[in-house]
Amino acid sequence: MAATAPRPEYHPGDIHDDGQWTMPAKDYSSTRFSALDQITAANVKQMQVAWTFSTGLNRGAEAAPIVAGDTMYITTPYPNTLFALDLSKPGAPLKWKYDPEPKSASQGVACCDVVNRGGVYSNGRFFYNTLDGNAVAVDAATGREVWKTSLGDINNGETITMAPLVVKDKVLIGNSGGEMGVRGWLTALYTSDGKVAWRAYNTGPDSDCLIGADFHPFYAKDRGKDLGVSTWPPDAWKIGGGTVWGWISYDPETNAIFYGTGNGGPWNPDQRPGDNKWTCGLWARDLDSGQARWFYQFSPHDLYDWDAINEQILTELEIGGTKRKVLIRPERNGYIYVMDRATGELLSATGFVHNTATKGVDLKTGELLHIDEMKPVMGKVVRDICPAAPGAKDWNPSAYSPKTGLLYLPHNNLCMDFEGMSANYIAGTPYVGAEVRMHAGPEGNRGLFTAWDPVGAKVVWQIKEDLPVWSGALVTAGDIVFYGTMEGWFKALDARTGELLWQFKTGSGIIGQPITYRAPDGRQYVAVLSGVGGWSGAIVAGDLDPRDQSAALGFVGAVPDLLDKSTKGGTLYAFALP
């Protein structure tokens, strides 16, 4: 599919790029855009492997490599080893490694593989999280531990898999465990000593959620006192989920952070009547105080495990003849939202996948419009719900190019059969209450890579992939967009047309986040971790039986053939021109 791309005003030098990649999203606006342009459509065919590094592990490798100065940092799945590689020497040999020694029992309470999505370099330190609920700061030059702060309790099913965000003197961290009946939060620690600056919960009374006089949601449905209690059955908010395991963006102009909240717990919606605030939505908060500014709930009373933890891209768009400071959110529920980031007003919400569960979003009220006959009912199998539980798009981040004005989306084409059933809460054990079996959506392909025009709200070009596309995306000023497939192909496409320009078969499936950087030798490199796993690849990483279609919360039903198409791995690949 092809169409005319928008033409934003972008000139070489508009964005200064020092050649580093110090946080997974590249910048506070979460663009995953690099202004490096040595690699272009004209020469990318010559790109070849420059060096590799094996992590020695074979669970899902979802992290982004981080580059600061002459060093690359790699975080691994459990046991969360941190490697520092010397980019100034041939082959990037190991400088040091740090072992945080997480509790082994944490592996037993992680919902969807024992993944880690990366860390952040800032002011001579490297910050990241461990599966057993700790945040650590490491001296980036030596690998010496500076501080370690315990934030979660694995005995309650709490883990941490997200990459933190570091802004000014704070490091921001959220918890995982929405399938274990935990209570979601975001915590700000001081970068200096790891002490807690503030914590904001996503369920419970306003005082716990840091909702006060500064809170002004745009839509009436999100206004009221203590909605984090009154929109739940009695005490259900205490085990209601709403975890923060995805991405955080930051707007320096307004000192605001933006992040989403996970699914309500349990999955069975009949056990939690009400809107279940503040799950499946988006917060805007003040960085310094944590006080809420506004909230928007993408999927009130979550019916399908549609966590709202995806990335939000901050940019300016001309909409209706006026330049607006917006937030773009490709959402698990199947819509791409463009919002005024100062107020939370919806400017557009456009479907981007086959959808049998909802019929649109009311821009006046902000309501997601469900199709009644597709709502789950306890004890009844509802078939062909699209998108499925992992959503139209899961955590794996998109990229946005200010040159092309396009958003590049790695995503899914999956549907599911869903049956709600009673769940009993026992601390530290699964609290789901649903049996799910996923399958391919229309036309049989399970993945898509889409270039999206956020102003015109339309597809510009699209690539079908056999398996779900679970890697992140990267786009560069060379007008190249990169992503990986679960079979292990790492691909470079023309960012304007979608033409496949180059590909390389890595040793395992790719679910990591590609980056690019300029090494001390002055050359541009592109790097990505290869190592299948995560929720989508649990059948391989966890040695699951393909005959059990409900395994891995139903994902095995969608990819029983993955065992024949990919094998375990854990290798960093760095590519460059000759």
Side-chain angles (χ1 to χ4, degrees):
M1 183 181 296
T4 302
R7 296 180 181 278
E9 294 180 6
Y10 176 92
H11 307 285
D14 278 0
I15 297 176
H16 171 69
D17 197 318
D18 62 8
Q20 302 184 104
W21 195 284
T22 60
M23 62 184 83
K26 174 61 175 175
D27 50 39
Y28 287 142
S29 297
S30 302
T31 63
R32 292 176 168 80
F33 170 82
S34 169
L36 300 184
D37 58 3
Q38 290 181 8
I39 300 171
T40 67
N43 61 28
V44 69
K45 289 183 174 62
Q46 303 171 45
M47 203 165 69
Q48 56 191 229
V49 174
W51 54 271
T52 62
F53 177 80
S54 171
T55 65
L57 298 168
N58 56 16
R59 302 305 294 256
E62 292 189 347
I66 296 299
V67 173
D70 63 359
T71 305
M72 175 182 285
Y73 303 89
I74 302 170
T75 61
T76 74
Y78 179 91
N80 302 132
T81 305
L82 171 60
F83 294 104
L85 307 179
D86 189 346
L87 299 177
S88 70
K89 297 178 180 177
L94 183 67
K95 275 187 171 180
W96 52 257
K97 67 177 180 179
Y98 163 75
D99 182 0
E101 300 181 343
K103 296 181 180 72
S104 61
S106 60
Q107 299 173 89
V109 294
C111 111
C112 313
D113 202 3
V114 292
V115 299
N116 180 282
R117 300 191 180 89
V120 174
Y121 171 90
S122 179
N123 290 323
R125 292 180 178 179
F126 190 87
F127 302 86
Y128 77 117
N129 306 309
T130 62
L131 190 67
D132 64 346
N134 284 283
V136 294
V138 176
D139 185 300
T142 65
R144 176 183 61 86
E145 182 180 293
V146 179
W147 53 254
K148 177 187 283 188
T149 299
S150 177
L151 294 172
D153 183 356
I154 60 171
N155 293 314
N156 291 330
E158 229 170 5
T159 54
I160 301 182
T161 56
M162 59 102 76
L165 183 71
V166 178
V167 186
K168 297 198 289 192
D169 65 341
K170 294 185 177 63
V171 52
L172 303 164
I173 298 159
N175 61 348
S176 299
E179 281 64 50
M180 308 293 281
V182 310
R183 184 185 178 200
W185 45 255
L186 182 76
T187 300
L189 304 179
Y190 290 107
T191 55
S192 57
D193 56 14
K195 292 183 178 177
V196 174
W198 51 260
R199 170 173 286 188
Y201 286 95
N202 300 322
T203 65
D206 287 355
S207 56
D208 287 5
C209 300
L210 302 188
I211 292 174
D214 297 334
F215 186 55
H216 302 292
F218 190 85
Y219 296 99
K221 67 190 182 74
D222 297 318
R223 300 174 195 150
K225 184 171 175 50
D226 291 327
L227 296 182
V229 174
S230 63
T231 59
W232 294 86
D235 290 336
W237 56 270
K238 296 178 180 177
I239 52 174
T243 52
V244 183
W245 55 275
W247 303 107
I248 309 169
S249 301
Y250 172 67
D251 182 356
E253 285 186 22
T254 58
N255 200 39
I257 57 170
F258 306 90
Y259 65 94
T261 59
N263 62 285
W267 283 18
N268 178 5
D270 288 349
Q271 289 187 234
R272 44 179 172 78
D275 272 359
N276 310 141
K277 306 287 188 195
W278 306 93
T279 63
C280 289
L282 177 66
W283 289 109
R285 292 187 183 276
D286 182 86
L287 168 70
D288 296 331
S289 66
Q291 287 291 313
R293 295 186 180 177
W294 55 261
F295 180 88
Y296 174 75
Q297 195 168 28
F298 296 105
S299 301
H301 184 56
D302 174 31
L303 300 179
Y304 307 114
D305 183 42
W306 285 346
D307 298 59
I309 57 73
N310 287 357
E311 71 284 1
Q312 44 278 317
I313 292 94
L314 311 185
T315 188
E316 288 189 14
L317 297 177
E318 187 167 313
I319 296 177
T322 304
K323 274 203 169 182
R324 304 287 295 262
K325 294 183 177 182
V326 303
L327 176 158
I328 306 171
R329 171 61 93 89
E331 187 53 42
R332 201 149 153 170
N333 65 15
Y335 297 88
I336 294 177
Y337 293 77
V338 178
M339 307 174 71
D340 184 312
R341 66 176 183 262
T343 65
E345 177 189 8
L346 296 186
L347 304 178
S348 66
T350 311
F352 67 105
V353 294
H354 178 64
N355 198 323
T356 65
T358 63
K359 53 189 176 186
V361 178
D362 186 327
L363 296 184
K364 291 183 179 177
T365 64
E367 290 285 355
L368 179 65
L369 305 174
H370 283 280
I371 297 172
D372 287 342
E373 54 268 34
M374 299 304 288
K375 292 181 177 178
V377 177
M378 190 153 65
K380 175 186 175 183
V381 179
V382 180
R383 301 192 184 280
D384 292 324
I385 298 168
C386 317
K393 178 191 163 300
D394 207 292
W395 70 272
N396 43 317
S398 54
Y400 174 76
S401 169
K403 280 192 71 178
T404 65
L406 300 179
L407 183 70
Y408 300 94
L409 295 158
H411 63 107
N412 306 319
N413 178 36
L414 298 175
C415 303
M416 67 178 174
D417 301 336
F418 186 107
E419 180 181 7
M421 54 188 62
S422 180
N424 295 314
Y425 175 74
I426 301 173
T429 65
Y431 184 55
V432 177
E435 180 162 310
V436 172
R437 295 165 191 255
M438 301 181 208
H439 55 270
E443 301 185 41
N445 58 297
R446 291 160 286 187
L448 293 160
F449 191 85
T450 297
W452 180 266
D453 169 9
V455 176
K458 62 183 180 182
V459 173
V460 176
W461 53 258
Q462 190 168 71
I463 307 294
K464 292 180 182 177
E465 294 285 358
D466 178 24
L467 294 165
V469 184
W470 210 259
S471 85
L474 160 70
V475 65
T476 73
D479 282 344
I480 308 292
V481 59
F482 296 90
Y483 72 98
T485 73
M486 292 185 68
E487 295 96 332
W489 288 104
F490 189 49
K491 299 188 176 186
L493 309 182
D494 186 307
R496 296 184 184 274
T497 66
E499 179 188 357
L500 177 63
L501 301 174
W502 171 91
Q503 61 181 342
F504 179 87
K505 186 68 160 53
T506 66
S508 180
I510 297 175
I511 60 168
Q513 305 164 55
I515 68 153
T516 187
Y517 64 95
R518 184 170 53 239
D521 64 6
R523 300 162 66 202
Q524 182 183 356
Y525 290 73
V526 179
V528 69
L529 277 162
S530 168
V532 79
W535 189 10
S536 60
I539 186 173
V540 175
D543 297 314
L544 302 182
D545 187 338
R547 295 170 297 182
D548 183 359
Q549 296 182 18
S550 65
L553 296 170
F555 219 126
V556 166
V559 292
D561 54 335
L562 184 59
L563 288 167
D564 302 322
K565 297 178 178 178
S566 186
T567 55
K568 298 177 184 179
T571 300
L572 185 286
Y573 289 79
F575 303 92
L577 297 173

